[in-house]
Amino acid sequence: MFEAECRVVRNLAKKGNCVIVGRCADYVLRNSGNCLKVFFSAPLVSRIRRVAQRQNISEGEAKATVQKNEKLRADNYRYYTRRMWGAAGNFDLSLNTDLGEEFIENCIRSAMKL
């Protein structure tokens, strides 16, 4: 399944501008010259609060959900790429989502112009 996802990611990237979320795309497209690899993060307390609000659950339940999902993501990423999930060196840009959508959009647009 991973190889099929890799083919889809590569084919989409070859066709032109696109946004790919997850799918180890930073790794799959690591040798693509015309690709901006961005990692989004936020402080744990912010992620917990966001999950609690979105899923209408307690902060304790949200913390368990966040930690479980992050472990799954990290394990999946490490299994397929042999790299550490979220490591800044794997990306061109790492952004804290607490900075706000407008700021993040401006950062990405500026980085794309380089």
Side-chain angles (χ1 to χ4, degrees):
M1 187 155 143
F2 180 71
E3 284 303 319
E5 287 179 348
C6 290
R7 281 192 298 278
V8 170
V9 167
R10 287 186 196 104
N11 287 336
L12 287 171
K14 284 180 190 174
K15 288 181 180 178
N17 293 342
C18 65
V19 175
I20 300 166
V21 179
R23 306 292 160 233
C24 301
D26 65 295
Y27 177 78
V28 173
L29 299 174
R30 67 192 178 282
N31 296 321
S32 299
N34 193 18
C35 180
L36 180 66
K37 295 176 283 301
V38 182
F39 185 80
F40 296 100
S41 66
L44 180 60
V45 68
S46 298
R47 290 178 280 151
I48 291 169
R49 191 176 315 119
R50 193 174 303 131
V51 169
Q53 289 172 346
R54 283 184 184 161
Q55 296 184 16
N56 195 28
I57 58 178
S58 72
E59 288 197 1
E61 291 170 305
K63 181 177 181 180
T65 299
V66 167
Q67 290 173 330
K68 177 184 173 190
N69 288 338
E70 289 191 0
K71 181 173 179 1
L72 290 171
R73 284 187 185 112
D75 289 348
N76 181 72
Y77 187 83
R78 187 174 35 258
Y79 179 82
Y80 287 109
T81 68
R82 303 288 184 245
R83 300 190 327 182
M84 190 171 80
W85 181 69
N90 297 336
F91 300 91
D92 302 309
L93 190 60
S94 291
L95 294 166
N96 179 341
T97 58
D98 279 355
L99 296 172
E101 289 180 29
E102 184 178 340
F103 179 82
I104 289 170
E105 182 180 341
N106 289 336
C107 287
I108 292 172
R109 287 183 186 276
S110 293
M112 290 172 61
K113 293 176 186 175
L114 295 177

